[in-house]
Amino acid sequence: AKRYYIKNIEKIKAYRIKNKERFKEASQKYSKQYKIKSIYGISIEHYNDLLQKQDGLCAICLKPETRKGKSGKIDSLAIDHNHQTNEVRELLCHRCNVCLGLLNDDPLLFEKSKDYLIKWSNKQCEESVLEDKKCGAGLEDCETCNNLV
């Protein structure tokens, strides 16, 4: 194969230039399959099964991916996994995946963050109560807003 390549290098280069898009698509497809298999240990079929089970939506926010890659195309959902066991969990959008990463996949830190946001949303509610209106924070467990009804 190496001798053939060396002997026909100009023909090969011309063919690749002529069929640039075809080679680009094949390369991207193979690259994605290789990355998924080598990093996460799953096949592209397993990824596609997860994607189908989730209806193409993020497992946390239940929205489609919106982040665009360098090519301008919308990225695929990220494969969320346990960093200790490498077990694949589900597929997440970029924002939710980064959020979990910044919280070090720590449920306690997540809970503290949630409590913090609720505390500050409740302050917004308390200020709104003075004006006899709901704050619009949309929290189901907001006692202040629920007491207005």
Side-chain angles (χ1 to χ4, degrees), residues 118-137 139-149:
I118 288 172
K119 176 181 98 173
W120 283 97
S121 292
N122 285 341
K123 282 189 182 262
Q124 182 183 355
C125 291
E126 290 165 8
E127 292 169 7
S128 296
V129 167
L130 297 174
E131 301 171 22
D132 286 332
K133 63 179 186 175
K134 285 194 174 192
C135 69
L139 297 171
E140 291 178 22
D141 57 352
C142 179
E143 292 176 25
T144 308
C145 283
N146 291 333
N147 288 334
L148 286 176
V149 180

Side-chain angles (χ1 to χ4, degrees), residues 49-62:
D49 287 344
L50 287 171
L51 190 63
Q52 185 177 8
K53 284 177 188 172
Q54 293 179 213
D55 293 324
L57 305 175
C58 171
I60 294 176
C61 68
L62 303 177

